[in-house]
Amino acid sequence: MAIPHLTAADGTSLPVIGLGTYQLNGSAGVDAIGQAIRAGYRLIDSAVNYENEGAVGRAARSAGGARDELVITSKLPGRHHRYDEALTAIEESVFRTGLDRIDLYLIHWPNPKQDLYVQAWRALIEARERGLVKHIGLSNFLPEHIDRLVAETGVAPVVNQIEVHPYFPQQDALDYHREQGILVQGWSPLGHGNDLRQHPVIGEIAASHGVTPAQAILAWHVARQVIALPKAASPQRQVENLDAVGLSLTAAEVEAITALGRPDGRLADQDPAVYEEF
């Protein structure tokens, strides 16, 4: 099945669904990621703090001709935001994967109290110029953080990976990114650890299409032009998630799911304006 793509303002094109790899580590992680690639996933998400760049890289190196189609992603941790440290951390990420480059590299969190994210962004720009990474972006950045980066460096991210799921639909953020030509990736797209998949509204919509609640939620992401990054280790779940991109919800169904949003919808109260991670 051909996976649709979304395109950023600079022409960067990414699949509308990718594989989250948090806790996919070691040999079992290599096997699970390899299965996903064979199933058709081409966007693979990782991070320094996931401690699995090696597993992701090994799976990518075993992909044969599919390697050139893959978008291998990693993220810079908060402890390495200073310019020189960031460049070294990026080099180490590339070395750990065993690949010639990492296709998409993000700053994991802005950590605004530290006020070093502009330095980190300049390091990502340099890494791109040196060919260590192909594309650069952000994770968990707010519009004011992005505006500052663009004002001070003249370089916009191709993507911002943020928390998006039906209890936290982030419509204002989506509108901002669309206006700026920045793609949005959604982490925890199925609302990890909450009761989303048991919600009667989602259950009713899923039943009407003959799909699982998870597939209905992923179709909602696709309809809203959010690149979902569900984690799945089992081949069956991986294929089910991938199949969701072929499901079309009605506008009313999309609105009904979006209406489930809550003021306190964040999974762990991780507000990027104050939350910091190292």
Side-chain angles (χ1 to χ4, degrees):
M1 178 181 64
I3 302 174
H5 283 58
L6 296 174
T7 304
D10 75 341
T12 301
S13 179
L14 296 177
V16 297
I17 190 169
L19 180 75
T21 67
Y22 179 61
Q23 295 183 331
L24 297 182
N25 302 72
S27 297
V30 174
D31 291 343
I33 297 162
Q35 290 166 359
I37 293 171
R38 290 189 293 274
Y41 286 85
R42 291 298 179 263
L43 174 60
I44 312 295
D45 184 71
S46 180
V48 171
N49 279 350
Y50 298 174
E51 298 184 344
N52 68 352
E53 290 170 308
V56 170
R58 188 179 182 94
R61 295 196 309 274
S62 301
R67 164 62 188 117
D68 290 338
E69 302 172 7
L70 298 178
V71 180
I72 301 300
T73 306
S74 194
K75 308 184 194 76
L76 180 75
R79 61 187 176 276
H80 295 317
H81 275 196
R82 287 179 175 80
Y83 181 84
D84 290 339
E85 293 180 22
L87 272 175
T88 300
I90 295 166
E91 290 174 338
E92 288 290 349
S93 287
V94 176
F95 297 156
R96 280 190 290 270
T97 64
L99 303 171
D100 292 336
R101 68 171 192 277
I102 290 177
D103 304 290
L104 177 62
Y105 208 90
L106 315 177
I107 302 176
H108 207 154
W109 287 88
N111 289 11
K113 286 186 289 186
Q114 307 302 313
D115 197 25
L116 295 170
Y117 63 85
V118 176
Q119 284 194 43
W121 187 238
R122 292 188 189 281
L124 265 65
I125 295 169
E126 172 67 17
R128 183 180 65 180
E129 291 175 352
R130 286 172 48 185
L132 290 167
V133 301
K134 187 174 182 181
H135 303 293
I136 56 176
L138 307 168
S139 182
N140 300 299
F141 274 59
L142 297 174
E144 55 262 37
H145 303 142
I146 299 173
D147 290 343
R148 181 184 174 194
L149 290 181
V150 175
E152 295 196 23
T153 69
V155 177
V158 300
V159 68
N160 189 20
Q161 185 180 128
I162 59 178
E163 179 179 355
V164 184
H165 48 78
Y167 286 162
F168 197 60
Q170 295 250 54
Q171 187 60 54
D172 289 345
L174 266 57
D175 293 341
Y176 165 85
H177 289 83
R178 192 167 294 119
E179 290 169 3
Q180 303 300 318
I182 301 169
L183 299 178
V184 173
Q185 293 181 336
W187 57 261
S188 289
L190 300 176
H192 177 73
N194 63 23
D195 62 353
L196 258 178
R197 279 170 274 187
Q198 287 75 49
H199 197 286
V201 169
I202 291 173
E204 182 179 338
I205 292 171
S208 71
H209 289 275
V211 299
T212 68
Q215 287 175 313
I217 295 170
L218 292 173
W220 171 79
H221 284 283
V222 173
R224 302 176 78 230
Q225 296 187 316
V226 173
I227 298 168
L229 300 171
K231 188 195 84 172
S234 79
Q236 179 184 350
R237 281 286 308 283
Q238 289 175 354
V239 171
E240 284 180 0
N241 290 345
L242 205 58
D243 284 347
V245 303
L247 172 62
S248 295
L249 302 182
T250 67
E253 289 170 334
V254 173
E255 290 174 8
I257 296 176
T258 303
L260 300 178
R262 305 170 175 178
D264 61 347
R266 291 187 188 275
L267 293 174
D269 198 27
Q270 294 170 306
D271 181 352
V274 294
Y275 177 79
E276 300 202 323
E277 187 172 295
F278 296 91

